[in-house]
């Protein structure tokens, strides 16, 4: 292992599709291990928000790349990033190679903190931190994910039918998995964690066991 690899040994990479429960799990893992946490989906959501707020078409790759370059000078309230349509828009800009390239370094800098870090996303274990000491790939059936997202959105007062959310999730899965640059897929050395039939406490316990086994091995 080279010295550069050693910096990422204590990174926990949590990847998976939309609404798989990876964000909740990653947050809980970070609290358990006392590590800093980065929700990398928020970076893509910020880029999408900036493009939309500036009045550009979300498919405009030049403006999306410019939004990445200007990201440090902007801030967005959390509620402007969490809505249903901004997740969809984030998935569109996330397929653009210039957007992905422009976001790599800040993610790696975060991951290289002494003591480690937890990052969740789609390509943490494959592209951002292939040397991460522990990699989890969190899945659940599209129906279970749609039901969770439906509960979350209606809880926030954002109206949406279950069927519309399921269609969103299938479309996002297809786009995130089908793009040529850093598609959503499990790293070869990731451990798959299907959360369909598990409570969050059970998911956390399973994830901790996986991390401990990796660290011991
Ligand atoms: O995890 P999320 O739903 O907040 O992510 C929003 C979109 O951003 C997702 O559909 C794909 C993209 N994304 C990505 O391509 N790579 C990441 N590491 C994180 C998110």
């Amino acid at each position: 292992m080279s010295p550069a690899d050693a910096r990422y040994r204590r990174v926990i990479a949590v990847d998976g599709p939309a609404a798989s429960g990876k964000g909740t799990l990653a947050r809980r893992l970070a609290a358990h291990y006392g590590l800093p946490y980065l929700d990398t989906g928020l970076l893509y959501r910020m880029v999408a928000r900036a493009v939309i707020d500036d009045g550009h078409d979300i498919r405009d790759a030049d403006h999306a790349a410019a939004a990445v370059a200007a990201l440090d000078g902007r801030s967005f309230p959390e509620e402007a990033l969490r809505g249903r349509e901004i997740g969809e828009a984030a998935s569109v800009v996330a397929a653009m190679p210039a957007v992905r390239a422009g976001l790599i370094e800040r993610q790696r800098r975060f991951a290289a903190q002494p003591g480690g870090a937890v990052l969740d996303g789609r390509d943490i274990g494959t592209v951002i931190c292939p040397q991460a000491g522990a990699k989890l790939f969190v899945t659940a059936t599209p129906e279970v994910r749609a039901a969770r997202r439906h509960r979350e959105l209606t809880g926030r007062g954002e109206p949406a039918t279950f069927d519309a959310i399921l269609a969103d999730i299938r479309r996002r899965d297809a786009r995130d998995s089908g793009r040529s640059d850093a598609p959503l897929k499990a790293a070869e050395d990731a451990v798959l964690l299907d959360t369909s039939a598990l409570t969050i406490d059970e998911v956390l316990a399973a994830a901790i066991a996986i991390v401990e086994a990796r660290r011991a091995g």
Side-chain angles (χ1 to χ4, degrees), residues 160-215:
T161 66
F162 172 85
D163 286 347
I165 293 171
L166 182 58
D168 275 3
I169 280 184
R170 290 193 194 284
R171 198 170 45 245
R172 285 219 0 231
D173 283 358
R175 192 185 294 115
D176 293 348
S177 309
R179 67 184 177 223
S180 53
D181 193 7
L184 165 68
K185 67 165 194 250
E188 273 174 22
D189 52 349
V191 179
L192 256 62
L193 194 50
D194 187 334
T195 69
S196 302
L198 301 180
T199 64
I200 176 59
D201 286 339
E202 290 169 334
V203 174
L204 179 66
I208 290 171
I210 292 164
V211 173
E212 293 301 322
R214 281 296 159 96
R215 288 186 171 177

Side-chain angles (χ1 to χ4, degrees), residues 3-205:
D5 291 344
R7 285 185 306 168
Y8 298 110
R9 218 170 17 211
R10 296 194 73 80
V11 167
I12 302 174
V14 183
D15 288 305
S20 56
K22 65 185 186 318
T24 308
L25 172 62
R27 210 169 286 115
R28 299 268 310 254
L29 275 173
H32 177 83
Y33 286 107
L35 291 174
Y37 162 58
L38 181 64
D39 173 352
T40 66
L42 276 183
L43 299 174
Y44 295 91
R45 287 169 182 262
M46 284 187 228
V47 173
R49 183 81 265 165
V51 172
I52 293 168
D53 286 355
D54 293 348
H56 302 299
D57 189 307
I58 197 64
R59 290 159 302 184
D60 184 330
D62 289 341
H63 281 112
V68 173
L71 215 51
D72 284 336
R74 300 181 75 146
S75 68
F76 304 88
E78 172 106 16
E79 61 276 12
L81 302 174
R82 288 291 178 200
R84 189 176 148 211
E85 82 294 347
I86 207 73
E88 174 70 18
S91 166
V92 174
V93 297
M96 299 169 181
V99 168
R100 302 204 73 83
L103 293 174
I104 284 182
E105 264 326 297
R106 75 179 66 208
Q107 294 175 78
R108 290 200 175 136
R109 230 180 296 127
F110 189 93
Q113 295 184 71
V118 180
L119 287 83
D120 83 48
R122 303 292 188 289
D123 62 341
I124 308 303
T126 51
V127 174
I128 303 299
C129 265
Q131 312 91 339
K135 299 181 189 178
L136 297 156
F137 193 82
V138 184
T139 60
T141 64
E143 289 77 13
V144 165
R145 290 188 277 134
R148 288 177 184 158
R149 187 48 55 88
H150 187 242
R151 262 197 309 277
E152 181 195 324
L153 291 177
T154 48
R156 275 210 311 261
E158 191 176 333
T161 66
F162 172 85
D163 286 347
I165 293 171
L166 182 58
D168 275 3
I169 280 184
R170 290 193 194 284
R171 198 170 45 245
R172 285 219 0 231
D173 283 358
R175 192 185 294 115
D176 293 348
S177 309
R179 67 184 177 223
S180 53
D181 193 7
L184 165 68
K185 67 165 194 250
E188 273 174 22
D189 52 349
V191 179
L192 256 62
L193 194 50
D194 187 334
T195 69
S196 302
L198 301 180
T199 64
I200 176 59
D201 286 339
E202 290 169 334
V203 174
L204 179 66

